[in-house]
Amino acid sequence: MNSAIRSIRNLAPLLDRVLVQRVKAEAKTASGIFLPESSVEKLNEAKVLAVGPGGLDRDGKRIPMGVAVGDRVLIPQFGGSPVKAGEEEYQLFRDSEILAKINE
């Protein structure tokens, strides 16, 4: 499922879904050597860009989301639904799939 949209601002996650963008790994070493893209690994760290209102329990009450816009989180290496807007790539995860929130 790879969908393209014009602007990520037009995307509003539903229920317990979270829109994230992976943090890009440094392409330059501490000594200033630039690394090729093929040798740079994907990080499991991402920034939350949008969150849904939360899922519903059996009684129809909203379950609050565990993350908020602007949070830094750890996400699984694989999974999520990819979303592409222009040249940028984003992913949609369920709130329960987020591994951890990074407190600063």
Side-chain angles (χ1 to χ4, degrees):
M1 177 182 160
N2 195 6
S3 60
I5 56 176
R6 290 183 187 172
S7 172
I8 204 64
R9 294 178 192 172
N10 297 334
L11 188 68
L14 299 177
L15 296 175
D16 65 339
R17 289 179 178 78
V18 179
L19 179 69
V20 300
Q21 183 176 28
R22 282 188 190 266
V23 173
K24 294 182 181 172
E26 289 292 324
K28 187 168 98 171
T29 64
S31 61
I33 298 172
F34 286 95
L35 301 171
E37 278 188 38
S38 60
S39 69
V40 177
E41 292 184 24
K42 283 188 176 180
L43 296 178
N44 287 8
E45 187 178 325
K47 182 177 180 183
V48 176
L49 301 177
V51 296
L56 300 173
D57 64 9
R58 291 181 183 206
D59 299 326
K61 296 179 184 174
R62 286 267 176 221
I63 301 170
M65 297 292 282
V67 295
V69 174
D71 286 348
R72 287 183 37 221
V73 295
L74 290 178
I75 56 175
Q77 186 70 28
F78 301 102
S81 298
V83 178
K84 190 165 181 154
E87 295 296 316
E88 296 293 322
E89 290 190 20
Y90 306 91
Q91 288 185 299
L92 276 169
F93 285 96
R94 289 192 177 271
D95 187 43
S96 61
E97 294 175 332
I98 304 283
L99 301 175
K101 187 169 148 180
I102 302 171
N103 294 325
E104 295 181 42

